[in-house]
Amino acid sequence: MYSSSQHSETSAKPSIVLGIESSCDETAAAILIDGKLKSNVVATQEIHTTYGGVVPELASRAHQEAIAPVVLEALQQAGIQQHELSAIAVTAGPGLLGSLLVGASFAKGYASALGIPLIAVNHMQAHVLAQFLSEPAPNFPFLCLTVSGGHTQLVWVKSALDMEVLGQTEDDAVGEAFDKGAKLLGLPYPGGPFIDKLAAIGNAHAFQFPITRMPGLSFSFSGVKTALLYFLQKHDPAWIHEHMADIAASYQYTLIQTLLIKVREAVSQTGATELALAGGVAANKGLQAAMKEVAHELGCNLYIPPLAYCTDNAAMIAMAGHFLHQAGINHGLALQVNPNMKF
Ligand code: KG4
Ligand code: ZN
C-alpha cells in the first residue's frame, strides 16, 4: 500500500509553464517546472543601438523573426516536449503595442493548438515576482523598488497576487534619465551602464544637480536631465571631456538620492522590514551600494536578484504565470494586450 503522500508525489503531474516576453526590445522565452527555472532564453535586438532608442516598428519585426526560434530553444534547453506544457504565460502589457501583439498572437496560436490555458501577465508585476527566481527570496509583505528603462515604481507586495503601487514616476523613468543623461554626454545607447562605470571613478559631490521633490511617493526625473543639459551648455567640450567621470558620478548620485528619499518614506509608511530591488537599473553599482546602506540603517533585509532576472526576461513572466496558474486563472483566447496596462 502507498501512503497518500507517496501516491500524490508519484501521480501528480508537474506544472510546466512556458513564459513569453516581447513587450519592448527583448524577445524571450523560459520554462518553469513547479516554480523552478529550467531555461531562460533572451534575444536582445541590437538594431536599436544605431538609432539611440527603441524604434517600435523595427522591434515588432524583429520579434516576429525571433519568437519561434526563441521558444523552441527554451523548450530544448529545458528538455521539454511541447505536449508536456501545462500553460502558457505571455506579457499582455504595459509595453509597445506592436511588440505585445507579436507575443500574444504567437501565444494564442500555440495555446490553442495545444489545448492548454493561456495566461495574461502584467510585465511590471512580473518584474516584482522575479524575486522568486533566486534564493533567498523575500518574505511577504515586502517593499519592491522597480527601476527600469520604462518604469520607476514603489510596490507594496502583500502576496504574489496582491500588490499595490504606492508611488511611481510622473514623467521619465529613472533608466530613461540615465540613458538621456548618457546621450547628452555623448555616450552610447543604452547609456545607464556607461554612466555607472564612469561614476565609479568620479566624485559624486563634484557638482550639484537639483533633486525634484514630488508629493507623496511619486517621482520625477525630467528636471534633473534638463539641469544636466543646461550645465553642459555652459561648458566647452574639452572641459566636459576632462570632467566626464565627475559629471557622471554627480548626475548618478542625484538620481539615486531621488529614489532613496522615497524608499525611506515608503519604509516608514508601511513598516516594511523586507526590501527588494527589481528592473534593469538594479544593475547599477551605485544604487546597489546605496540601497545596502539604507537597508542596514533602517534594519531591513535587502534582496537583489541576479542581473539576468532584473533586466527584461521571460523567466519572470513564467513565474508570474506559475502563480496565476496555481490560482486557476486562464484568460484563454479572449486575452487582450494593453500597452498602458495598470496593476
Ligand atoms: O529592465 P530593463 O532591462 O528594460 C526595461 O524594461 O526598460 O532596463 C533597461 C534600463 C536601461 O535604461 C539601462 O540603461 C538601464 O536599465 N541600466 C542601467 C544599468 N544597467 C542597465 N542603468 C544604470 N546603471 C546600470 N549599470
Ligand atoms: Zn521591464
Side-chain angles (χ1 to χ4, degrees), residues 21 23-26 123-124 127 146-151 173-180 182 189-197 252 255 278-288 307 309-313 316:
E21 156 65 29
S23 66
C24 191
D25 58 345
E26 264 91 24
H123 180 91
M124 297 313 295
H127 266 302
T146 310
V147 278
S148 74
H151 299 271
V174 66
E176 215 174 337
F178 268 105
D179 295 341
K180 286 180 176 173
Y189 173 85
F194 293 94
I195 299 240
D196 194 7
K197 277 202 193 91
Q252 173 171 300
L255 298 181
V281 183
N284 186 269
K285 294 281 178 291
L287 178 60
Q288 290 188 0
L307 185 57
Y309 306 146
C310 286
T311 52
D312 282 352
N313 65 83
M316 67 184 194

mmCIF file of all heavy atoms in Angstrom, residues 21 23-26 123-124 127 146-151 173-180 182 189-197 252 255 278-288 307 309-313 316, ligand 1:
data_model
loop_
_atom_site.group_PDB
_atom_site.id
_atom_site.type_symbol
_atom_site.label_atom_id
_atom_site.label_comp_id
_atom_site.label_asym_id
_atom_site.label_seq_id
_atom_site.Cartn_x
_atom_site.Cartn_y
_atom_site.Cartn_z
ATOM 1 N N GLU A 21 7.958 36.729 -23.418
ATOM 2 C CA GLU A 21 8.070 38.181 -23.203
ATOM 3 C C GLU A 21 8.458 38.859 -24.522
ATOM 4 O O GLU A 21 9.436 38.460 -25.163
ATOM 5 C CB GLU A 21 9.138 38.437 -22.122
ATOM 6 C CG GLU A 21 9.813 39.806 -22.143
ATOM 7 C CD GLU A 21 8.899 40.978 -21.840
ATOM 8 O OE1 GLU A 21 7.908 40.808 -21.108
ATOM 9 O OE2 GLU A 21 9.176 42.072 -22.372
ATOM 10 N N SER A 23 7.557 42.651 -24.798
ATOM 11 C CA SER A 23 6.927 43.965 -24.622
ATOM 12 C C SER A 23 7.763 45.132 -25.135
ATOM 13 O O SER A 23 7.232 46.187 -25.437
ATOM 14 C CB SER A 23 6.581 44.192 -23.155
ATOM 15 O OG SER A 23 7.761 44.273 -22.390
ATOM 16 N N CYS A 24 9.084 44.926 -25.232
ATOM 17 C CA CYS A 24 9.924 46.040 -25.678
ATOM 18 C C CYS A 24 10.940 45.544 -26.711
ATOM 19 O O CYS A 24 10.545 45.171 -27.808
ATOM 20 C CB CYS A 24 10.587 46.691 -24.471
ATOM 21 S SG CYS A 24 11.383 48.253 -24.877
ATOM 22 N N ASP A 25 12.212 45.492 -26.369
ATOM 23 C CA ASP A 25 13.205 45.099 -27.378
ATOM 24 C C ASP A 25 13.912 43.794 -27.044
ATOM 25 O O ASP A 25 14.995 43.530 -27.554
ATOM 26 C CB ASP A 25 14.222 46.225 -27.623
ATOM 27 C CG ASP A 25 14.955 46.641 -26.363
ATOM 28 O OD1 ASP A 25 14.493 46.284 -25.270
ATOM 29 O OD2 ASP A 25 15.976 47.334 -26.476
ATOM 30 N N GLU A 26 13.307 42.978 -26.176
ATOM 31 C CA GLU A 26 13.839 41.642 -25.929
ATOM 32 C C GLU A 26 12.777 40.611 -26.308
ATOM 33 O O GLU A 26 11.634 40.725 -25.864
ATOM 34 C CB GLU A 26 14.184 41.437 -24.441
ATOM 35 C CG GLU A 26 15.628 41.683 -24.094
ATOM 36 C CD GLU A 26 15.890 43.113 -23.680
ATOM 37 O OE1 GLU A 26 14.919 43.751 -23.225
ATOM 38 O OE2 GLU A 26 17.023 43.583 -23.825
ATOM 39 N N HIS A 123 3.630 42.911 -17.085
ATOM 40 C CA HIS A 123 5.100 42.967 -17.103
ATOM 41 C C HIS A 123 5.684 43.533 -15.802
ATOM 42 O O HIS A 123 6.704 43.038 -15.305
ATOM 43 C CB HIS A 123 5.521 43.824 -18.310
ATOM 44 C CG HIS A 123 6.987 43.988 -18.494
ATOM 45 N ND1 HIS A 123 7.750 43.129 -19.266
ATOM 46 C CD2 HIS A 123 7.854 44.909 -18.016
ATOM 47 C CE1 HIS A 123 9.006 43.522 -19.254
ATOM 48 N NE2 HIS A 123 9.101 44.602 -18.504
ATOM 49 N N MET A 124 5.035 44.546 -15.231
ATOM 50 C CA MET A 124 5.571 45.177 -14.018
ATOM 51 C C MET A 124 5.385 44.284 -12.793
ATOM 52 O O MET A 124 6.238 44.253 -11.907
ATOM 53 C CB MET A 124 4.910 46.550 -13.792
ATOM 54 C CG MET A 124 5.186 47.543 -14.899
ATOM 55 S SD MET A 124 6.940 47.615 -15.361
ATOM 56 C CE MET A 124 7.663 48.254 -13.846
ATOM 57 N N HIS A 127 8.165 41.776 -13.024
ATOM 58 C CA HIS A 127 9.459 42.273 -12.526
ATOM 59 C C HIS A 127 9.557 42.037 -11.015
ATOM 60 O O HIS A 127 10.603 41.650 -10.495
ATOM 61 C CB HIS A 127 9.620 43.769 -12.814
ATOM 62 C CG HIS A 127 10.344 44.075 -14.104
ATOM 63 N ND1 HIS A 127 11.620 43.628 -14.364
ATOM 64 C CD2 HIS A 127 9.974 44.785 -15.186
ATOM 65 C CE1 HIS A 127 12.008 44.056 -15.561
ATOM 66 N NE2 HIS A 127 11.023 44.747 -16.087
ATOM 67 N N THR A 146 11.033 49.000 -8.215
ATOM 68 C CA THR A 146 11.247 48.527 -9.589
ATOM 69 C C THR A 146 11.752 49.686 -10.435
ATOM 70 O O THR A 146 11.053 50.689 -10.596
ATOM 71 C CB THR A 146 9.945 47.966 -10.194
ATOM 72 O OG1 THR A 146 9.383 47.034 -9.272
ATOM 73 C CG2 THR A 146 10.219 47.255 -11.504
ATOM 74 N N VAL A 147 12.960 49.518 -10.940
ATOM 75 C CA VAL A 147 13.599 50.601 -11.694
ATOM 76 C C VAL A 147 14.065 50.081 -13.048
ATOM 77 O O VAL A 147 14.949 49.239 -13.128
ATOM 78 C CB VAL A 147 14.786 51.194 -10.889
ATOM 79 C CG1 VAL A 147 14.292 52.195 -9.864
ATOM 80 C CG2 VAL A 147 15.632 50.120 -10.200
ATOM 81 N N SER A 148 13.449 50.593 -14.125
ATOM 82 C CA SER A 148 13.836 50.118 -15.454
ATOM 83 C C SER A 148 13.876 51.284 -16.424
ATOM 84 O O SER A 148 13.740 52.445 -16.026
ATOM 85 C CB SER A 148 12.857 49.054 -15.929
ATOM 86 O OG SER A 148 11.649 49.668 -16.306
ATOM 87 N N GLY A 149 14.036 50.948 -17.706
ATOM 88 C CA GLY A 149 14.075 51.988 -18.721
ATOM 89 C C GLY A 149 12.696 52.598 -18.963
ATOM 90 O O GLY A 149 12.576 53.708 -19.480
ATOM 91 N N GLY A 150 11.653 51.877 -18.589
ATOM 92 C CA GLY A 150 10.297 52.358 -18.845
ATOM 93 C C GLY A 150 9.525 52.720 -17.588
ATOM 94 O O GLY A 150 8.495 53.399 -17.660
ATOM 95 N N HIS A 151 9.979 52.247 -16.435
ATOM 96 C CA HIS A 151 9.189 52.420 -15.211
ATOM 97 C C HIS A 151 10.027 52.685 -13.969
ATOM 98 O O HIS A 151 11.170 52.244 -13.888
ATOM 99 C CB HIS A 151 8.332 51.174 -14.958
ATOM 100 C CG HIS A 151 7.364 50.918 -16.061
ATOM 101 N ND1 HIS A 151 6.104 51.453 -16.069
ATOM 102 C CD2 HIS A 151 7.499 50.238 -17.214
ATOM 103 C CE1 HIS A 151 5.484 51.099 -17.185
ATOM 104 N NE2 HIS A 151 6.319 50.355 -17.897
ATOM 105 N N ALA A 173 11.241 57.604 -16.613
ATOM 106 C CA ALA A 173 11.671 56.542 -15.692
ATOM 107 C C ALA A 173 13.130 56.812 -15.349
ATOM 108 O O ALA A 173 13.824 57.521 -16.082
ATOM 109 C CB ALA A 173 11.541 55.190 -16.371
ATOM 110 N N VAL A 174 13.604 56.231 -14.234
ATOM 111 C CA VAL A 174 14.986 56.510 -13.843
ATOM 112 C C VAL A 174 15.986 55.967 -14.885
ATOM 113 O O VAL A 174 17.002 56.600 -15.168
ATOM 114 C CB VAL A 174 15.292 56.028 -12.397
ATOM 115 C CG1 VAL A 174 15.228 54.525 -12.284
ATOM 116 C CG2 VAL A 174 16.653 56.537 -11.943
ATOM 117 N N GLY A 175 15.668 54.829 -15.497
ATOM 118 C CA GLY A 175 16.539 54.276 -16.550
ATOM 119 C C GLY A 175 16.612 55.221 -17.740
ATOM 120 O O GLY A 175 17.670 55.397 -18.353
ATOM 121 N N GLU A 176 15.471 55.846 -18.041
ATOM 122 C CA GLU A 176 15.398 56.827 -19.120
ATOM 123 C C GLU A 176 16.274 58.032 -18.775
ATOM 124 O O GLU A 176 16.963 58.579 -19.645
ATOM 125 C CB GLU A 176 13.935 57.269 -19.204
ATOM 126 C CG GLU A 176 13.425 57.577 -20.561
ATOM 127 C CD GLU A 176 11.913 57.845 -20.486
ATOM 128 O OE1 GLU A 176 11.233 57.389 -19.535
ATOM 129 O OE2 GLU A 176 11.423 58.535 -21.383
ATOM 130 N N ALA A 177 16.246 58.435 -17.506
ATOM 131 C CA ALA A 177 17.075 59.563 -17.060
ATOM 132 C C ALA A 177 18.560 59.209 -17.204
ATOM 133 O O ALA A 177 19.366 60.041 -17.616
ATOM 134 C CB ALA A 177 16.743 59.928 -15.620
ATOM 135 N N PHE A 178 18.913 57.969 -16.880
ATOM 136 C CA PHE A 178 20.297 57.507 -17.090
ATOM 137 C C PHE A 178 20.633 57.576 -18.581
ATOM 138 O O PHE A 178 21.679 58.102 -18.964
ATOM 139 C CB PHE A 178 20.461 56.054 -16.609
ATOM 140 C CG PHE A 178 20.916 55.924 -15.178
ATOM 141 C CD1 PHE A 178 20.027 55.554 -14.176
ATOM 142 C CD2 PHE A 178 22.236 56.152 -14.839
ATOM 143 C CE1 PHE A 178 20.448 55.425 -12.851
ATOM 144 C CE2 PHE A 178 22.673 56.026 -13.520
ATOM 145 C CZ PHE A 178 21.772 55.659 -12.530
ATOM 146 N N ASP A 179 19.733 57.044 -19.416
ATOM 147 C CA ASP A 179 20.017 56.955 -20.858
ATOM 148 C C ASP A 179 20.058 58.334 -21.519
ATOM 149 O O ASP A 179 20.908 58.587 -22.368
ATOM 150 C CB ASP A 179 18.972 56.069 -21.553
ATOM 151 C CG ASP A 179 19.046 54.626 -21.071
ATOM 152 O OD1 ASP A 179 20.091 54.243 -20.514
ATOM 153 O OD2 ASP A 179 18.058 53.882 -21.242
ATOM 154 N N LYS A 180 19.125 59.224 -21.124
ATOM 155 C CA LYS A 180 19.099 60.568 -21.725
ATOM 156 C C LYS A 180 20.318 61.368 -21.273
ATOM 157 O O LYS A 180 20.908 62.109 -22.065
ATOM 158 C CB LYS A 180 17.802 61.289 -21.357
ATOM 159 C CG LYS A 180 16.590 60.738 -22.117
ATOM 160 C CD LYS A 180 15.316 61.479 -21.743
ATOM 161 C CE LYS A 180 14.140 60.998 -22.567
ATOM 162 N NZ LYS A 180 12.864 61.581 -22.097
ATOM 163 N N ALA A 182 23.190 60.093 -20.453
ATOM 164 C CA ALA A 182 24.334 59.498 -21.154
ATOM 165 C C ALA A 182 24.407 60.033 -22.582
ATOM 166 O O ALA A 182 25.490 60.331 -23.091
ATOM 167 C CB ALA A 182 24.195 57.982 -21.160
ATOM 168 N N TYR A 189 24.115 54.158 -26.563
ATOM 169 C CA TYR A 189 22.810 53.740 -26.027
ATOM 170 C C TYR A 189 22.807 52.223 -25.797
ATOM 171 O O TYR A 189 23.341 51.511 -26.633
ATOM 172 C CB TYR A 189 21.694 54.114 -27.013
ATOM 173 C CG TYR A 189 20.353 53.563 -26.614
ATOM 174 C CD1 TYR A 189 19.539 54.251 -25.722
ATOM 175 C CD2 TYR A 189 19.929 52.322 -27.097
ATOM 176 C CE1 TYR A 189 18.320 53.726 -25.336
ATOM 177 C CE2 TYR A 189 18.713 51.801 -26.698
ATOM 178 C CZ TYR A 189 17.918 52.504 -25.828
ATOM 179 O OH TYR A 189 16.725 51.981 -25.437
ATOM 180 N N PRO A 190 22.193 51.679 -24.753
ATOM 181 C CA PRO A 190 21.657 52.409 -23.595
ATOM 182 C C PRO A 190 22.800 52.836 -22.667
ATOM 183 O O PRO A 190 23.702 52.057 -22.367
ATOM 184 C CB PRO A 190 20.744 51.383 -22.928
ATOM 185 C CG PRO A 190 21.262 50.043 -23.349
ATOM 186 C CD PRO A 190 21.991 50.229 -24.651
ATOM 187 N N GLY A 191 22.728 54.077 -22.204
ATOM 188 C CA GLY A 191 23.870 54.681 -21.529
ATOM 189 C C GLY A 191 23.995 54.405 -20.038
ATOM 190 O O GLY A 191 25.033 54.717 -19.443
ATOM 191 N N GLY A 192 22.943 53.827 -19.420
ATOM 192 C CA GLY A 192 22.994 53.560 -17.971
ATOM 193 C C GLY A 192 24.283 52.891 -17.517
ATOM 194 O O GLY A 192 24.983 53.400 -16.632
ATOM 195 N N PRO A 193 24.662 51.761 -18.136
ATOM 196 C CA PRO A 193 25.880 51.073 -17.699
ATOM 197 C C PRO A 193 27.148 51.924 -17.877
ATOM 198 O O PRO A 193 28.083 51.795 -17.080
ATOM 199 C CB PRO A 193 25.944 49.840 -18.610
ATOM 200 C CG PRO A 193 24.542 49.638 -19.083
ATOM 201 C CD PRO A 193 23.919 50.983 -19.137
ATOM 202 N N PHE A 194 27.166 52.813 -18.881
ATOM 203 C CA PHE A 194 28.346 53.666 -19.109
ATOM 204 C C PHE A 194 28.465 54.717 -18.012
ATOM 205 O O PHE A 194 29.551 55.015 -17.523
ATOM 206 C CB PHE A 194 28.272 54.327 -20.492
ATOM 207 C CG PHE A 194 28.387 53.333 -21.616
ATOM 208 C CD1 PHE A 194 27.247 52.791 -22.202
ATOM 209 C CD2 PHE A 194 29.631 52.908 -22.066
ATOM 210 C CE1 PHE A 194 27.341 51.856 -23.225
ATOM 211 C CE2 PHE A 194 29.737 51.977 -23.090
ATOM 212 C CZ PHE A 194 28.585 51.444 -23.669
ATOM 213 N N ILE A 195 27.314 55.289 -17.623
ATOM 214 C CA ILE A 195 27.316 56.268 -16.514
ATOM 215 C C ILE A 195 27.807 55.569 -15.245
ATOM 216 O O ILE A 195 28.611 56.108 -14.488
ATOM 217 C CB ILE A 195 25.891 56.836 -16.279
ATOM 218 C CG1 ILE A 195 25.409 57.563 -17.535
ATOM 219 C CG2 ILE A 195 25.836 57.700 -15.028
ATOM 220 C CD1 ILE A 195 25.078 59.011 -17.408
ATOM 221 N N ASP A 196 27.306 54.351 -15.026
ATOM 222 C CA ASP A 196 27.672 53.557 -13.850
ATOM 223 C C ASP A 196 29.190 53.381 -13.775
ATOM 224 O O ASP A 196 29.812 53.611 -12.725
ATOM 225 C CB ASP A 196 26.974 52.183 -13.970
ATOM 226 C CG ASP A 196 26.993 51.390 -12.682
ATOM 227 O OD1 ASP A 196 27.426 51.933 -11.653
ATOM 228 O OD2 ASP A 196 26.564 50.215 -12.709
ATOM 229 N N LYS A 197 29.796 52.995 -14.891
ATOM 230 C CA LYS A 197 31.254 52.759 -14.939
ATOM 231 C C LYS A 197 32.034 54.040 -14.676
ATOM 232 O O LYS A 197 32.988 54.048 -13.905
ATOM 233 C CB LYS A 197 31.662 52.211 -16.317
ATOM 234 C CG LYS A 197 31.451 50.719 -16.431
ATOM 235 C CD LYS A 197 32.325 50.125 -17.538
ATOM 236 C CE LYS A 197 31.871 48.711 -17.842
ATOM 237 N NZ LYS A 197 30.856 48.653 -18.922
ATOM 238 N N GLN A 252 24.549 60.653 -11.432
ATOM 239 C CA GLN A 252 24.068 59.375 -10.886
ATOM 240 C C GLN A 252 23.680 59.520 -9.412
ATOM 241 O O GLN A 252 22.658 58.980 -8.965
ATOM 242 C CB GLN A 252 25.148 58.301 -11.040
ATOM 243 C CG GLN A 252 24.785 56.987 -10.354
ATOM 244 C CD GLN A 252 25.743 55.868 -10.690
ATOM 245 O OE1 GLN A 252 25.899 55.510 -11.839
ATOM 246 N NE2 GLN A 252 26.377 55.310 -9.680
ATOM 247 N N LEU A 255 20.262 61.026 -9.135
ATOM 248 C CA LEU A 255 19.200 60.059 -9.468
ATOM 249 C C LEU A 255 18.979 59.099 -8.299
ATOM 250 O O LEU A 255 17.838 58.807 -7.917
ATOM 251 C CB LEU A 255 19.572 59.268 -10.728
ATOM 252 C CG LEU A 255 19.746 60.056 -12.032
ATOM 253 C CD1 LEU A 255 20.079 59.119 -13.192
ATOM 254 C CD2 LEU A 255 18.481 60.852 -12.361
ATOM 255 N N ALA A 278 14.257 45.615 -8.191
ATOM 256 C CA ALA A 278 13.937 44.899 -9.437
ATOM 257 C C ALA A 278 14.129 45.828 -10.630
ATOM 258 O O ALA A 278 14.252 47.035 -10.462
ATOM 259 C CB ALA A 278 12.480 44.419 -9.381
ATOM 260 N N GLY A 279 14.177 45.256 -11.839
ATOM 261 C CA GLY A 279 14.322 46.045 -13.064
ATOM 262 C C GLY A 279 15.785 46.232 -13.442
ATOM 263 O O GLY A 279 16.682 46.040 -12.625
ATOM 264 N N GLY A 280 15.999 46.630 -14.693
ATOM 265 C CA GLY A 280 17.347 46.706 -15.252
ATOM 266 C C GLY A 280 18.299 47.646 -14.520
ATOM 267 O O GLY A 280 19.503 47.375 -14.437
ATOM 268 N N VAL A 281 17.781 48.734 -13.954
ATOM 269 C CA VAL A 281 18.647 49.695 -13.262
ATOM 270 C C VAL A 281 19.169 49.115 -11.940
ATOM 271 O O VAL A 281 20.108 49.649 -11.345
ATOM 272 C CB VAL A 281 17.916 51.050 -13.069
ATOM 273 C CG1 VAL A 281 18.807 52.089 -12.426
ATOM 274 C CG2 VAL A 281 17.408 51.588 -14.409
ATOM 275 N N ALA A 282 18.593 47.991 -11.501
ATOM 276 C CA ALA A 282 19.097 47.311 -10.295
ATOM 277 C C ALA A 282 20.544 46.888 -10.499
ATOM 278 O O ALA A 282 21.260 46.592 -9.534
ATOM 279 C CB ALA A 282 18.231 46.105 -9.966
ATOM 280 N N ALA A 283 21.001 46.868 -11.766
ATOM 281 C CA ALA A 283 22.395 46.515 -12.058
ATOM 282 C C ALA A 283 23.355 47.605 -11.607
ATOM 283 O O ALA A 283 24.552 47.351 -11.461
ATOM 284 C CB ALA A 283 22.571 46.306 -13.562
ATOM 285 N N ASN A 284 22.841 48.820 -11.390
ATOM 286 C CA ASN A 284 23.707 49.953 -11.074
ATOM 287 C C ASN A 284 24.430 49.764 -9.728
ATOM 288 O O ASN A 284 23.796 49.609 -8.687
ATOM 289 C CB ASN A 284 22.866 51.236 -11.053
ATOM 290 C CG ASN A 284 23.718 52.465 -10.883
ATOM 291 O OD1 ASN A 284 23.963 52.910 -9.770
ATOM 292 N ND2 ASN A 284 24.184 53.004 -11.982
ATOM 293 N N LYS A 285 25.749 49.804 -9.810
ATOM 294 C CA LYS A 285 26.574 49.535 -8.616
ATOM 295 C C LYS A 285 26.351 50.583 -7.527
ATOM 296 O O LYS A 285 26.305 50.258 -6.336
ATOM 297 C CB LYS A 285 28.061 49.503 -8.997
ATOM 298 C CG LYS A 285 28.429 48.346 -9.922
ATOM 299 C CD LYS A 285 28.583 47.051 -9.142
ATOM 300 C CE LYS A 285 28.896 45.875 -10.038
ATOM 301 N NZ LYS A 285 27.768 45.465 -10.911
ATOM 302 N N GLY A 286 26.209 51.830 -7.961
ATOM 303 C CA GLY A 286 25.984 52.910 -7.001
ATOM 304 C C GLY A 286 24.657 52.743 -6.287
ATOM 305 O O GLY A 286 24.562 52.927 -5.068
ATOM 306 N N LEU A 287 23.621 52.348 -7.032
ATOM 307 C CA LEU A 287 22.293 52.144 -6.441
ATOM 308 C C LEU A 287 22.326 50.946 -5.483
ATOM 309 O O LEU A 287 21.762 51.003 -4.388
ATOM 310 C CB LEU A 287 21.242 51.927 -7.537
ATOM 311 C CG LEU A 287 19.831 51.647 -7.048
ATOM 312 C CD1 LEU A 287 19.277 52.800 -6.196
ATOM 313 C CD2 LEU A 287 18.871 51.375 -8.209
ATOM 314 N N GLN A 288 23.006 49.874 -5.898
ATOM 315 C CA GLN A 288 23.093 48.693 -5.031
ATOM 316 C C GLN A 288 23.753 49.056 -3.691
ATOM 317 O O GLN A 288 23.245 48.686 -2.629
ATOM 318 C CB GLN A 288 23.913 47.594 -5.711
ATOM 319 C CG GLN A 288 23.211 46.975 -6.907
ATOM 320 C CD GLN A 288 23.951 45.758 -7.453
ATOM 321 O OE1 GLN A 288 24.993 45.364 -6.945
ATOM 322 N NE2 GLN A 288 23.405 45.170 -8.495
ATOM 323 N N LEU A 307 21.381 39.691 -12.050
ATOM 324 C CA LEU A 307 21.040 40.657 -13.101
ATOM 325 C C LEU A 307 20.154 40.082 -14.208
ATOM 326 O O LEU A 307 19.247 40.765 -14.709
ATOM 327 C CB LEU A 307 22.340 41.207 -13.709
ATOM 328 C CG LEU A 307 22.158 42.312 -14.730
ATOM 329 C CD1 LEU A 307 21.387 43.480 -14.129
ATOM 330 C CD2 LEU A 307 23.509 42.770 -15.251
ATOM 331 N N TYR A 309 17.760 38.235 -14.062
ATOM 332 C CA TYR A 309 16.345 38.235 -13.686
ATOM 333 C C TYR A 309 15.823 39.654 -13.466
ATOM 334 O O TYR A 309 14.624 39.857 -13.279
ATOM 335 C CB TYR A 309 16.119 37.409 -12.415
ATOM 336 C CG TYR A 309 16.669 36.001 -12.498
ATOM 337 C CD1 TYR A 309 17.191 35.361 -11.371
ATOM 338 C CD2 TYR A 309 16.675 35.305 -13.708
ATOM 339 C CE1 TYR A 309 17.706 34.071 -11.455
ATOM 340 C CE2 TYR A 309 17.193 34.025 -13.796
ATOM 341 C CZ TYR A 309 17.704 33.422 -12.674
ATOM 342 O OH TYR A 309 18.217 32.151 -12.759
ATOM 343 N N CYS A 310 16.752 40.640 -13.408
ATOM 344 C CA CYS A 310 16.350 42.049 -13.221
ATOM 345 C C CYS A 310 16.013 42.687 -14.554
ATOM 346 O O CYS A 310 15.028 43.411 -14.679
ATOM 347 C CB CYS A 310 17.480 42.833 -12.559
ATOM 348 S SG CYS A 310 17.672 42.467 -10.819
ATOM 349 N N THR A 311 16.865 42.440 -15.577
ATOM 350 C CA THR A 311 16.585 43.003 -16.907
ATOM 351 C C THR A 311 15.415 42.219 -17.500
ATOM 352 O O THR A 311 15.033 41.160 -16.989
ATOM 353 C CB THR A 311 17.825 42.867 -17.811
ATOM 354 O OG1 THR A 311 18.246 41.512 -17.788
ATOM 355 C CG2 THR A 311 18.964 43.736 -17.327
ATOM 356 N N ASP A 312 14.876 42.722 -18.618
ATOM 357 C CA ASP A 312 13.707 42.064 -19.206
ATOM 358 C C ASP A 312 14.029 40.614 -19.568
ATOM 359 O O ASP A 312 15.045 40.331 -20.200
ATOM 360 C CB ASP A 312 13.240 42.828 -20.446
ATOM 361 C CG ASP A 312 12.451 44.060 -20.051
ATOM 362 O OD1 ASP A 312 12.150 44.218 -18.856
ATOM 363 O OD2 ASP A 312 12.130 44.855 -20.944
ATOM 364 N N ASN A 313 13.163 39.711 -19.156
ATOM 365 C CA ASN A 313 13.373 38.278 -19.382
ATOM 366 C C ASN A 313 12.025 37.578 -19.338
ATOM 367 O O ASN A 313 11.025 38.176 -18.930
ATOM 368 C CB ASN A 313 14.311 37.717 -18.295
ATOM 369 C CG ASN A 313 13.687 37.776 -16.918
ATOM 370 O OD1 ASN A 313 12.918 36.894 -16.533
ATOM 371 N ND2 ASN A 313 13.949 38.842 -16.154
ATOM 372 N N MET A 316 10.687 35.677 -15.516
ATOM 373 C CA MET A 316 9.775 36.379 -14.593
ATOM 374 C C MET A 316 8.317 36.285 -15.077
ATOM 375 O O MET A 316 7.397 36.260 -14.266
ATOM 376 C CB MET A 316 10.212 37.842 -14.423
ATOM 377 C CG MET A 316 10.069 38.709 -15.655
ATOM 378 S SD MET A 316 10.723 40.380 -15.350
ATOM 379 C CE MET A 316 10.031 41.263 -16.771
HETATM 380 O O1 KG4 B 1 14.521 46.387 -17.200
HETATM 381 P P1 KG4 B 1 15.275 46.741 -18.432
HETATM 382 O O2 KG4 B 1 16.253 45.745 -18.978
HETATM 383 O O3 KG4 B 1 14.328 47.113 -19.603
HETATM 384 C C1 KG4 B 1 13.188 47.869 -19.428
HETATM 385 O O4 KG4 B 1 12.101 47.275 -19.154
HETATM 386 O O5 KG4 B 1 13.320 49.105 -19.534
HETATM 387 O O6 KG4 B 1 16.050 48.104 -18.099
HETATM 388 C C2 KG4 B 1 16.852 48.765 -19.030
HETATM 389 C C3 KG4 B 1 17.356 50.050 -18.395
HETATM 390 C C4 KG4 B 1 18.050 50.966 -19.391
HETATM 391 O O7 KG4 B 1 17.570 52.274 -19.179
HETATM 392 C C5 KG4 B 1 19.520 50.846 -18.986
HETATM 393 O O8 KG4 B 1 20.281 51.988 -19.270
HETATM 394 C C6 KG4 B 1 19.391 50.626 -17.507
HETATM 395 O O9 KG4 B 1 18.302 49.747 -17.362
HETATM 396 N N1 KG4 B 1 20.603 50.049 -16.925
HETATM 397 C C7 KG4 B 1 21.406 50.708 -16.058
HETATM 398 C C8 KG4 B 1 22.476 49.842 -15.764
HETATM 399 N N2 KG4 B 1 22.289 48.668 -16.461
HETATM 400 C C9 KG4 B 1 21.125 48.820 -17.164
HETATM 401 N N3 KG4 B 1 21.289 51.939 -15.520
HETATM 402 C C10 KG4 B 1 22.246 52.317 -14.680
HETATM 403 N N4 KG4 B 1 23.311 51.543 -14.358
HETATM 404 C C11 KG4 B 1 23.469 50.320 -14.860
HETATM 405 N N5 KG4 B 1 24.507 49.552 -14.523
#
